[in-house]
Amino acid sequence: MAKKKSNVDLIIREILLITEVLIEQGLSMNQNYPKSFTKSTKKGPKVIVAPSGDDFDSRVFFDPELSYSEMYKILIKDNAYNIKLIDGAILSLYYELSTGGSVMNHRLIFFPSTELLSLEDDNGMDLSEDVYSDIINQNIYPFPLRLDFDLENAISIDHPASHLTLGQYKNCRIPATAPVTPLKFIKFILRNFYYNFYKDRISVNSYFDQGYINLDDTIKEEEKTNLSYFVI
């Protein structure tokens, strides 16, 4: 009987699939491949899956002294992203797991570029094709979002274990039903912000239809009763 793959292996497998498809289909301009490593903490060892294996200091996301532009530049400089899209937006997928393979923490980010997009990117790619029309529409106002999961520090209602943060607002924590897998995250981003590309290049080929991981719900009943929430 084949040995069952760990969640660490499955998360890396999904991120690699995402990376390979976005390169092949021409949406990735640059990429850092995921690696895993073990990190010692006060509560015991954790397995980290991060871009290029870098243990990025996540305090940058919560530093009120940093502007969004400065934060974006730090992420680029430190290679703290998995994929840089052709419009300059970056995707970063960071996971912490117990040594037994349970997902304890994740930070999945979509940060649009701080530069205005032209019809021809730095690589000479023509962005006027229909598949890129969502990106270059002049009435778009890009904004960052994070899908965070923190099981250890969760507080029902005030700090849901899994939550969506929009626009880097400090207290924006919209509950989500469960931690988010890499494929669910990328489908959410592409389907909502790069719809024409997703429809013409991704969904028609069923690239991301089959995920490798299922994660249990973590939302509390009182959160479901008292708050609006996302079903993952």
Side-chain angles (χ1 to χ4, degrees):
M1 181 180 295
K3 182 180 179 182
K4 183 179 178 181
K5 287 186 175 293
S6 72
N7 276 339
V8 173
D9 294 331
L10 295 175
I11 286 170
I12 291 176
R13 185 176 179 182
E14 287 199 357
I15 297 174
L16 286 175
L17 173 63
I18 290 165
T19 307
E20 290 164 3
V21 169
L22 294 188
I23 292 172
E24 178 185 326
Q25 296 302 317
L27 194 59
S28 176
M29 177 168 36
N30 195 29
Q31 50 279 325
N32 295 297
Y33 289 93
K35 293 183 180 178
S36 64
F37 59 97
T38 301
K39 174 184 177 182
S40 297
T41 73
K42 292 180 179 178
K43 296 184 178 181
K46 291 182 179 179
V47 180
I48 310 297
V49 177
S52 299
D54 293 332
D55 187 14
F56 182 72
D57 186 352
S58 63
R59 287 176 296 182
V60 66
F61 294 109
F62 312 105
D63 188 341
E65 301 300 317
L66 287 177
S67 68
Y68 176 73
S69 177
E70 291 169 328
M71 191 184 312
Y72 175 90
K73 289 176 181 176
I74 289 172
L75 293 171
I76 294 294
K77 177 180 68 71
D78 290 351
N79 286 320
Y81 65 91
N82 291 84
I83 298 166
K84 184 178 181 182
L85 303 177
I86 59 172
D87 60 347
I90 55 176
L91 302 170
S92 180
L93 300 95
Y94 172 95
Y95 287 85
E96 291 184 3
L97 299 93
S98 70
T99 52
S102 298
V103 176
M104 306 300 294
N105 186 298
H106 71 53
R107 185 182 61 252
L108 312 177
I109 72 167
F110 169 67
F111 274 20
S113 172
T114 55
E115 303 292 332
L116 293 175
L117 185 68
S118 65
L119 289 179
E120 187 170 291
D121 76 353
D122 291 338
N123 296 322
M125 181 179 291
D126 184 5
L127 300 181
S128 62
E129 295 181 54
D130 287 344
V131 291
Y132 303 124
S133 59
D134 298 309
I135 302 172
I136 63 174
N137 194 324
Q138 294 302 303
N139 67 3
I140 291 173
Y141 190 84
F143 63 92
L145 65 84
R146 297 196 325 266
L147 274 161
D148 290 343
F149 179 68
D150 187 352
L151 189 60
E152 293 178 333
N153 297 304
I155 301 172
S156 185
I157 301 290
D158 290 335
H159 197 291
S162 185
H163 59 270
L164 172 66
T165 295
L166 301 174
Q168 283 295 104
Y169 282 90
K170 179 181 178 181
N171 295 304
C172 177
R173 301 187 187 97
I174 304 167
T177 53
V180 184
T181 65
L183 280 180
K184 284 186 177 180
F185 174 66
I186 195 64
K187 286 178 70 173
F188 173 74
I189 296 298
L190 295 182
R191 190 168 176 14
N192 288 288
F193 303 107
Y194 300 83
Y195 179 74
N196 287 326
F197 181 91
Y198 177 78
K199 179 181 67 174
D200 292 349
R201 301 277 182 89
I202 303 297
S203 63
V204 71
N205 293 304
S206 302
Y207 285 126
F208 299 147
D209 285 356
Q210 181 61 52
Y212 303 111
I213 318 166
N214 289 308
L215 300 175
D216 293 335
D217 284 0
T218 55
I219 191 168
K220 304 295 185 183
E221 282 302 320
E222 62 180 329
E223 293 170 341
K224 294 170 70 173
T225 301
N226 294 288
L227 302 174
S228 298
Y229 61 93
F230 282 94
V231 178
I232 301 299

